[in-house]
Amino acid sequence: MSRLDLFIDRMVSQRACLDFAIDDTAALSGPVFELGLGNGRTFHHMRERIVGRDIYVFERAVAAHPDSTPDEEFTILGDVRVTLVQTLEKMGPVASLIHADLGGHNRAKNDAFARMISPMVEPLLAEGGLMVASDRMYFETLTEVALPKGAVPERCFIYRR
Ligand SMILES: C[S@@+](CC[C@H](N)C(=O)[O-])C[C@H]1O[C@@H](n2cnc3c(N)ncnc32)[C@H](O)[C@@H]1O
């Protein structure tokens, strides 16, 4: 598989999983957390489709397209290894949907990072909430959910509380 193939599979899977998760959690009122703003494409997609829920973005350095930059009050700046813990203390287990796309090109590093932050992400999810991740996560209390039509196995993962 070429890197282009992998990239396309990841993008198609992100959209399919996010659309599924947005619909599935629509009845929940808790906020949505976007971990890793990057260019802001997935944030923009969620902002277009999510109604009536706040979207908080976690990012260490905002450098997104201007159309896809969250307002300051919804930007949680810093390393997620710190800000996830702070957010749990401040807000509790409130998130209706968490999307994480924090990885780079090194799959082994991405896996190690996902393993490290899993226990920080897990307690933030509200009852019935979903987590969508580009990397496999290592949760003790969340259940992996079957991927929706259009998503490519191993390119995206969904977990439910
Ligand atoms: C692949 S990009 C996200 C792309 C985004 N989903 C989009 O559609 O444009 C990953 C982002 O995660 C951020 N990131 C990676 N590790 C982080 C960390 N430890 N704390 C906060 N942000 C981090 C990077 O700065 C980068 O902007």
Side-chain angles (χ1 to χ4, degrees):
M1 256 204 149
S2 72
R3 283 183 53 217
L4 180 63
D5 290 331
L6 286 170
F7 178 75
I8 290 169
D9 281 356
R10 192 171 121 240
M11 295 299 104
V12 165
S13 301
Q14 272 181 351
R15 185 177 56 190
C17 291
L18 283 174
D19 287 348
F20 164 80
I22 291 165
D23 279 357
D24 189 274
T25 59
L28 302 180
S29 57
V32 174
F33 293 164
E34 166 80 323
L35 312 184
L37 178 66
N39 188 271
R41 291 188 191 99
T42 48
F43 167 67
H44 190 266
H45 190 78
M46 290 195 287
R47 202 178 52 188
E48 295 267 301
R49 283 164 174 73
I50 290 172
V51 181
R53 286 185 273 175
D54 291 333
I55 307 176
Y56 289 89
V57 174
F58 294 67
E59 174 58 61
R60 61 182 164 206
V62 172
H65 187 279
D67 276 0
S68 313
T69 300
D71 291 344
E72 222 174 284
E73 61 173 311
F74 294 108
T75 305
I76 301 184
L77 254 192
D79 192 306
V80 292
R81 287 167 289 188
V82 176
T83 55
L84 288 170
V85 177
Q86 290 171 340
T87 302
L88 180 65
E89 281 167 13
K90 198 168 150 194
M91 296 191 189
V94 290
S96 57
L97 170 58
I98 301 175
H99 173 235
D101 183 21
L102 291 158
H105 297 299
N106 184 320
R107 290 169 100 179
K109 272 192 185 167
N110 293 348
D111 182 60
F113 192 73
R115 197 180 280 275
M116 184 200 302
I117 65 162
S118 288
M120 302 170 192
V121 173
E122 190 165 0
L124 283 163
L125 205 60
E127 203 59 46
L130 288 179
M131 154 133 212
V132 173
S134 297
D135 296 294
R136 180 177 297 287
M137 303 298 285
Y138 296 88
F139 296 131
E140 289 184 0
T141 58
L142 308 187
T143 309
E144 192 164 352
V145 175
L147 294 180
K149 192 169 171 276
V152 180
E154 301 294 316
R155 298 282 79 80
C156 214
F157 302 85
I158 307 180
Y159 303 90
R160 185 190 301 282
R161 171 158 317 279

